[in-house]
Amino acid sequence: MIDLQIILPALIFLPALLGFLGCVFPEIIFPLGILSLLGFATASLSVLGGDFTYAFTLVGEGGIQFSVDSYSFPLIFGSSVTLLIVFGLFANRFSHYFYQICLVLLTALFISFTTVDLVSLFISLELLGFCAFLLIADRNDKKSLFNSFQYLIGGGLAMLIFLIGVVQAFTFTGSFLLEDLVRAPNTALCLIIAGLLTKSGVFLCGLWVPNIYSHANCQSSAILSGCVTCAGIAPIARMSQILTPISDSMIVIGVISGVVAAIYAVFERESGRALGWSSVSQLGIAILSPTYGCIYAMQHGICKALLFSTLHDEDKISADLSVSHQSKSSLRESPHELMRVTVFVFSSLSIMGFPFLAGFVTKNWVKYDLPFEAKLIYTTASLLTSTVYARLIFDRINVFVKRRSRIQSNSFNLIVTVEEILLSPKNYILILSTLLLVASSFTYPSFFTIESIQTAVVSAILGGILFVSVVGIQADDFVKPVTRTLDLVGAPFLVAALLLANLLYFKI
Amino acid sequence: MELTLEKIRLMPIILLMIIGCFGLLNSKSILRSLLSLDVIDTATISIFVITAASVGYQTPIVSIERYSSYSDPYPQAIILTAIVIGFATQALLCAIALRLGRKSPMLRYRDLEK
């Protein structure tokens, strides 16, 4: 009999150990890191649907309590797969200590997914903040340094707000456990939630998201959107499961975030920034339902990682990286590019909730879990999301077609194309992830009713029509990028105050 | 809401926190917001310490003679981590400020946010 009490903490801390060892032996540890990621992904996938739950305390009585349960498995799977995708696609472009930082980040994520102790949560979120800071600053120019400064100062302040909430809860309950928050006063709950919302990047607290995603390296953006913002989702889901006032307020915040951020995304011209706003909107939807929120965040994270990986064509990335490869890259054949565009379209469709893709299943889960009043606005948000992604797909295909006509490639030959696609190992990763997206939708065939498929298809088509109708609107004055530090730093205070007002007086 | 002794004890810290938040929201340059963050950090740590000392103020160490009213060791032990993390954040922010200062030595937000 394997002692889970020892195995599970060892597994949680394994990536950090590999990361630190990787600083000393970079070549040896990298395959080991990929192997461990594969192990985490398969292990969490095998227990994903079941109700395996294991709670343990780390060092005897009064120690740190962990609970490995249905909230943590989807997110563990999602972040492992995201890191695998990034490692596979960008391995030759990593700067110094990139993958080591990612592995340390993974441990911080695991702790925040599994812990039920507020102080451990604080520590893991701070570690996560430091790792995310290093990833943002990876591009190493003035703007990304300033972005990372804003992230760190905003995140640090949010965590201090969180800590004040924790100490106030402690004076009333005498413990730091999440489940004891039932006896905590409303002020403490608001402060804790405001800190968590800032870390997970939901609207108003998450104003930092679009700035950073649009400017960071695409591998950093993929990791930030796929893993880092999921960290706050699991604790929020745990809290809304046991606290009714919090789950009611989360519906209000999630609906506002889902709609407003999607409107911003619709009127945004730059693709990276639009993806950032859409991320804010999707995470707002993820906090709506405590039961399925984690699995929704997982699907969104994987799709966003794929989207950010394939957002720009390879020429642009190489040109950003160094000028010397320019002559070589312009000769690159377009089959690879075709593959990237296909994956981009598939993952966009998945986030839109198109039938026979993973997003369809998760969207329906969240939809059936919502109260009736929220469903209307949820549908509006998903319509707006369809509009955003219709535009993104249109832009991406447009760029691809222009590039094709510039290269003036020979006539299309299917066999040559397939052969060339199969030559590169990166394409295997892309093909595999697309197949996974399609296959995962068939695990729950009960959702494939005529009505739901019809709704999803109509929503996608309406999104396309809406895109055509708003494409001409000059909205540059309306969506100015929020870059002032004051706005980013002050948002948690505002959200905490609004939440408190809601809990005490409005009682929505 | 009555005014107990514990609440009166917390007053100066709340004042400190308000000063810190005011400084952070009104700062014109990076260095000032860095210092304001440190003030808020100090205020948070003091809240923990004062909360721990509400039941007693003697050292919570078991020796031959037991104290009658010792302070709660749990929050005090936990705040050590927060102190270290706050220090690490400050160090990282200082490093960033140093790098940013090469291009714009005044470190004003007005120049950097362009």
Side-chain angles (χ1 to χ4, degrees), chain A residues 457-475:
Chain A
V457 174
V458 166
S459 157
I461 293 172
L462 272 182
I465 295 173
L466 204 59
F467 155 62
V468 176
S469 56
V470 299
V471 72
I473 299 178
Q474 292 293 326

Side-chain angles (χ1 to χ4, degrees), chain A residues 61 101 428 459:
Chain A
E61 200 181 333
I101 295 169
Y428 285 111
S459 157

Side-chain angles (χ1 to χ4, degrees), chain A residues 133 140 164 171 176 485-486, chain B residues 17 25 51 78 92 99 113:
Chain A
F133 159 83
N140 210 358
I164 296 168
T171 51
F176 289 114
T485 317
L486 174 61
Chain B
M17 181 148 271
L25 296 180
T51 313
I78 273 167
L92 269 176
R99 281 292 303 277
E113 278 166 358

Side-chain angles (χ1 to χ4, degrees), chain A residues 203 250-262 288 377:
Chain A
F203 184 63
M250 281 304 108
I251 287 183
V252 178
I253 291 184
V255 157
I256 292 176
S257 172
V259 172
V260 179
L288 287 179
I377 308 182

Side-chain angles (χ1 to χ4, degrees), chain A residues 378-431:
Chain A
Y378 172 74
T379 322
T380 317
S382 57
L383 183 66
L384 288 170
T385 308
S386 310
T387 316
V388 177
Y389 284 97
R391 193 182 72 75
L392 285 172
I393 292 173
F394 176 75
D395 281 358
R396 186 73 178 90
I397 291 181
N398 218 357
V399 169
F400 175 64
V401 170
K402 265 184 198 160
R403 179 197 143 95
R404 235 183 124 79
S405 62
R406 200 176 62 227
I407 291 179
Q408 292 174 346
S409 61
N410 304 331
S411 59
F412 190 72
N413 188 342
L414 188 69
I415 301 165
V416 177
T417 313
V418 170
E419 269 179 1
E420 277 188 13
I421 283 177
L422 291 184
L423 270 179
S424 163
K426 279 181 190 175
N427 290 328
Y428 285 111
I429 298 167
L430 292 177
I431 294 170

Side-chain angles (χ1 to χ4, degrees), chain A residues 23 48 63 79 94 183 209 216 254 258 309 315 323 361 379 382 470 506:
Chain A
C23 299
L48 199 58
S79 39
F94 281 175
R183 300 198 301 274
V209 170
S309 310
D315 292 358
V323 192
V361 178
T379 322
S382 57
V470 299
F506 302 147

Side-chain angles (χ1 to χ4, degrees), chain A residues 200-220:
Chain A
S200 54
V202 177
F203 184 63
L204 213 61
C205 298
L207 290 175
W208 54 271
V209 170
N211 292 335
I212 287 174
Y213 285 9
S214 60
H215 192 261
N217 281 339
C218 42
Q219 60 264 39
S220 301

Side-chain angles (χ1 to χ4, degrees), chain A residues 81-82 85-86 89-90 213-214 216-226 265 271-280 282 298-314 317 337 339-353 357 363 385-386 388-397 429-430 433-434 437:
Chain A
V81 169
T82 308
I85 290 171
V86 172
L89 290 182
F90 297 102
Y213 285 9
S214 60
N217 281 339
C218 42
Q219 60 264 39
S220 301
S221 316
I223 291 176
L224 285 172
S225 58
S271 293
R273 194 177 277 279
L275 276 180
W277 279 120
S278 143
S279 203
V280 175
Q282 295 293 308
M298 168 199 92
Q299 175 263 338
H300 162 254
I302 295 176
C303 291
K304 265 288 150 60
L306 283 173
L307 282 175
F308 272 111
S309 310
T310 53
L311 176 61
H312 302 295
D313 49 3
E314 290 203 327
I317 302 171
E337 200 50 40
M339 193 64 223
R340 292 164 68 88
V341 174
T342 321
V343 171
F344 188 86
V345 171
F346 265 97
S347 26
S348 305
L349 287 176
S350 173
I351 291 188
M352 278 159 74
L357 284 169
K363 266 212 148 75
T385 308
S386 310
V388 177
Y389 284 97
R391 193 182 72 75
L392 285 172
I393 292 173
F394 176 75
D395 281 358
R396 186 73 178 90
I397 291 181
I429 298 167
L430 292 177
S433 41
T434 318
L437 279 185

